[in-house]
Each structure stands twice: as C-alpha cells, then as structure tokens.
Amino acid sequence: MSKIFFRILIVSLASLFIIMGIAFSEEIVPYADTEFDSASTTLKSTKKVSFRAVTYDTKDCLSVTSCYLEIKNDDGSWSYVCSLPAPTTKFYDAYAYSATVDYSSYIGSGTYRVWATYDADGHSITRCSNERTY
C-alpha cells in the first residue's frame, strides 16, 4: 500500500482518538458527592449493621442521623418495616466515621436491607445496604 494511504490512516485514527477522548472526558465526574469520598452501610450475617464513611477533609461532626429497615416482597419489591435507632456514635474533628449496631431484635426471617443517612456538618447523603436473607 502507498505511503499516502498510511498517512491518511494514521491521521484518521489520531483524530478518532482525540474525538473519543473529548467525548469521554465530558462524562467524567470528579466526585460522586461534594463532601463524602465514600459511605457504606453493610448488613452482616449476624444481623449487625456496619456504618462507614470518609469525607474529603476534616469535619466538625460526622454521624448517622437516621436509618430504617426494609423487607423484600415476593414480587421483588421492597416494603418499609420500621425506623431503626441510629448509632449514637459521633466523630468530632474527623474525616472518617465507623460504627456497628446490632439490629437482631428488629430483623426476623426474610430478605432485608437497611437505609442510612450520614451527616457531615449539615451535609447529608443516604446509602442503602446490601440485601441479606435470614
């Protein structure tokens, strides 16, 4: 094949990569949340729930302000069961939060999940746990 063909091919591929790069760069989101780097609620096999959160910088107060329990219905939908007492643990002048609470007196048999609202100096996010069957 001729040198001209290869030059056209190289220029075309280079242009394609540049266009793809621009398209993908517009979809990149630097943070999923402005204050929280991560937050997770984990329902364990012991019916305890672990609450974990990390912020981008130190906060005056980190806490879980509320949480509630849901049960899975036969059709795959979810139903509210009850409000759960939020962990009393609060972290001051911190960037990480960690607490574990035993909710075995609230969880019977079935498939459950827990929703929790995390707070960092008045900024809140809500995260759902994994589902677990007992």
Side-chain angles (χ1 to χ4, degrees):
M1 298 208 176
S2 71
K3 289 182 181 182
I4 295 175
F5 173 77
F6 282 114
R7 287 181 184 165
I8 293 172
L9 179 63
I10 290 171
V11 170
S12 298
L13 288 175
S15 298
L16 179 63
F17 287 129
I18 290 169
I19 291 169
M20 287 176 55
I22 292 169
F24 287 126
S25 67
E26 291 176 3
E27 295 175 16
I28 295 172
V29 177
Y31 301 114
D33 185 84
T34 59
E35 303 299 323
F36 286 93
D37 181 36
S38 64
S40 64
T41 308
T42 306
L43 179 55
K44 300 180 177 187
S45 61
T46 58
K47 298 183 180 179
K48 291 181 180 181
V49 175
S50 69
F51 303 91
R52 307 284 185 265
V54 177
T55 57
Y56 295 113
D57 53 21
T58 302
K59 300 297 177 187
D60 291 337
C61 183
L62 294 172
S63 64
V64 172
T65 56
S66 65
C67 51
Y68 64 91
L69 185 66
E70 287 186 327
I71 191 166
K72 195 172 197 177
N73 301 312
D74 292 337
D75 65 0
S77 64
W78 291 89
S79 294
Y80 175 88
V81 175
C82 65
S83 176
L84 297 170
T88 56
T89 306
K90 292 185 179 189
F91 283 72
Y92 298 96
D93 296 319
Y95 66 90
Y97 179 89
S98 175
T100 302
V101 179
D102 184 351
Y103 291 120
S104 58
S105 61
Y106 296 88
I107 299 172
S109 60
T111 301
Y112 292 89
R113 67 183 182 187
V114 174
W115 288 86
T117 300
Y118 296 82
D119 184 86
D121 295 344
H123 177 82
S124 297
I125 60 169
T126 302
R127 295 291 182 262
C128 185
S129 75
N130 56 301
E131 62 181 64
R132 189 169 294 275
T133 303
Y134 300 99

